[in-house]
Amino acid sequence: LINHFELLFQYISKEPFGFQRMASGVCLQLIAELYNSKHNINQTEQQNSLFLNAKTRIHSRIEEQVDFQEMAKDFGISYSKFRRDFKIQTGLAPLQYHLLLKIEKAKELLINTDLKAKEIAFQLGFESDYYFSRIFKQKVGMTPVQFRLKRRALES
């Protein structure tokens, strides 16, 4: 934009032969650039809003299974585009993001409650306590029971 303005001022101040046509061409380019920048900002705002909405939905359904294909359909985009853009925005695929939230919630429950790992697994909608323990260990590096014991030992 600045380059277009500088060029426009140059044409107007020096008034070379045919400067009116060149200046009007630069004005059209300037208008096009302004339009495109506003349009891109609106697109970015819409995309940010869409993914903020998606993350809010995922947070609100932490204890359920989330159908991401249905969510993409609700947003009016294909699942592959939704998944790709979500990963660009968050660094994680939607399912991994949801799983990470569940693990963080499980850690919170392990620290702040006396619920058994099996009860936490059930509360957070995991298929089984075995699957929950396996995923927890994969993501955290220790089983839920080991995590709780370690946290309690640190607090003592």
Side-chain angles (χ1 to χ4, degrees):
L1 291 175
I2 293 171
N3 290 339
H4 290 309
F5 273 115
E6 286 175 352
L7 188 58
L8 184 61
F9 288 127
Q10 216 174 32
Y11 286 146
I12 293 171
S13 63
K14 293 183 180 173
E15 296 184 8
F17 178 75
F19 82 96
Q20 292 95 343
R21 287 186 183 170
M22 291 187 286
S24 65
V26 171
C27 283
L28 289 174
Q29 288 177 333
L30 189 58
I31 291 168
E33 288 290 330
L34 288 169
Y35 174 80
N36 286 336
S37 70
K38 183 180 184 322
H39 182 69
N40 288 341
I41 289 170
N42 287 342
Q43 257 183 344
T44 303
E45 286 174 0
Q46 285 175 341
Q47 193 173 36
N48 288 343
S49 173
L50 181 137
F51 291 107
L52 179 61
N53 192 353
K55 289 192 289 188
T56 302
R57 278 192 193 184
I58 294 168
H59 279 271
S60 69
R61 296 179 184 167
I62 194 167
E63 292 143 1
E64 306 169 17
Q65 295 296 324
V66 178
D67 185 345
F68 294 106
Q69 291 186 348
E70 189 65 34
M71 188 182 290
K73 190 186 291 183
D74 290 347
F75 292 133
I77 58 176
S78 71
Y79 173 69
S80 59
K81 179 167 177 41
F82 173 75
R83 186 180 185 288
R84 182 182 63 243
D85 290 351
F86 190 93
K87 190 170 184 175
I88 289 168
Q89 287 277 327
T90 64
L92 296 167
L95 182 60
Q96 290 301 310
Y97 182 84
H98 188 230
L99 199 54
L100 184 66
L101 289 178
K102 285 182 179 236
I103 296 299
E104 290 303 314
K105 180 69 174 178
K107 287 160 91 177
E108 179 185 317
L109 291 170
L110 286 165
I111 293 168
N112 298 319
T113 71
D114 289 326
L115 292 171
K116 295 178 183 174
K118 187 174 189 170
E119 294 170 315
I120 292 171
F122 177 73
Q123 183 176 334
L124 293 176
F126 283 93
E127 297 168 7
S128 69
D129 59 325
Y130 171 75
Y131 176 68
F132 166 66
S133 292
R134 195 183 79 191
I135 294 296
F136 191 94
K137 185 172 183 176
Q138 192 178 59
K139 299 291 184 188
V140 180
M142 59 185 87
T143 67
V145 174
Q146 291 169 334
F147 177 81
R148 176 178 272 160
L149 291 173
K150 184 175 182 181
R151 288 299 300 226
R152 288 194 174 157
L154 291 173
E155 291 174 0
S156 298

